[in-house]
Amino acid sequence: MSRLAIPDLETAPEASRGTLNAVHQQLGVVPNMFRLLSSSPAALGAFMGLSGGAAKLLDVKTRERIALAVAQVNGCDYCLSAHTYLGLNLARISPEEIALNRKGGSTDPKAAAAVRFAVLVARERGHVGDKAVAEVRAAGYSDAEIVEIVLVVAENILTNLMNIVADTEIDFPVVRAAEAA
């Protein structure tokens, strides 16, 4: 059971219901994380703005690879479960690739550079050196794309922290950070 209240669609604040209904229309369900955020309409709106903007960054496979790596770094089982499901079903990433992403790697050299950099940004709280930036550039990422990688890391740290604090009940097939192969 979650530590913070997770409203259902009927008990969510009126100001959050339109957003929750839109999430339901898009996904067919309203994941617990969105319901958790709905307790504060302002927080839900802020997250949706960030999430909507981040959906335009990089490509879906790279975003999901980063999300998996960051969830693993932060030990967020909720986000690891959600992004494993999304990685498999939305981004069409293989189970073997997901296992590598969780370890900070990829079979694709360019994706591996992005994931390695994302892990470093998350672990070091942004205190990366010139060498790390040079390596991600050498893999073919522009400065704008490096900014995008950092933003995707930040978005995922936000959701990791929220779900760790709330101990959000996992409503996806469960994947545990402690079970990394």
Side-chain angles (χ1 to χ4, degrees):
M1 180 156 184
S2 299
R3 283 192 281 250
L4 300 179
I6 298 182
D8 57 33
L9 295 176
E10 295 76 36
T11 61
E14 184 65 37
S16 293
R17 290 183 192 167
T19 301
L20 294 179
N21 286 331
V23 169
H24 187 266
Q25 282 185 322
Q26 183 179 14
L27 302 177
V29 297
V30 181
N32 284 341
M33 185 191 77
F34 290 96
R35 292 177 34 227
L36 168 67
L37 287 168
S38 79
S39 64
S40 167
L44 180 61
F47 176 73
M48 295 304 288
L50 176 61
S51 179
K56 299 172 186 169
L57 307 176
L58 306 166
D59 62 87
V60 68
K61 284 188 181 205
T62 301
R63 290 192 314 270
E64 287 305 319
R65 286 172 168 135
I66 291 170
L68 288 158
V70 172
Q72 184 69 42
V73 166
N74 289 319
C76 182
D77 292 341
Y78 185 91
C79 294
L80 195 55
S81 298
H83 289 289
T84 297
Y85 180 84
L86 293 170
L88 290 167
N89 295 292
L90 174 69
R92 303 287 186 214
I93 300 171
S94 72
E96 298 78 19
E97 178 70 8
I98 285 173
L100 286 172
N101 300 156
R102 289 178 62 186
K103 293 177 185 177
S106 174
T107 57
D108 176 272
K110 185 173 181 180
V115 173
R116 268 193 314 274
F117 185 73
V119 166
L120 189 61
V121 169
R123 279 195 183 134
E124 301 301 323
R125 298 182 332 239
H127 295 279
V128 299
D130 294 342
K131 181 180 177 200
V133 173
E135 286 174 358
V136 76
R137 268 192 194 126
Y141 289 96
S142 68
D143 285 2
E145 289 168 320
I146 294 169
V147 168
E148 293 176 3
I149 291 168
V150 174
L151 190 91
V152 172
V153 169
E155 174 196 20
N156 282 281
I157 289 173
L158 169 66
T159 59
N160 292 173
L161 293 176
M162 181 58 59
N163 288 298
I164 291 168
V165 167
D167 195 19
T168 307
E169 184 178 338
I170 300 170
D171 49 354
F172 294 91
V174 176
V175 178
R176 303 272 181 211
E179 298 169 356

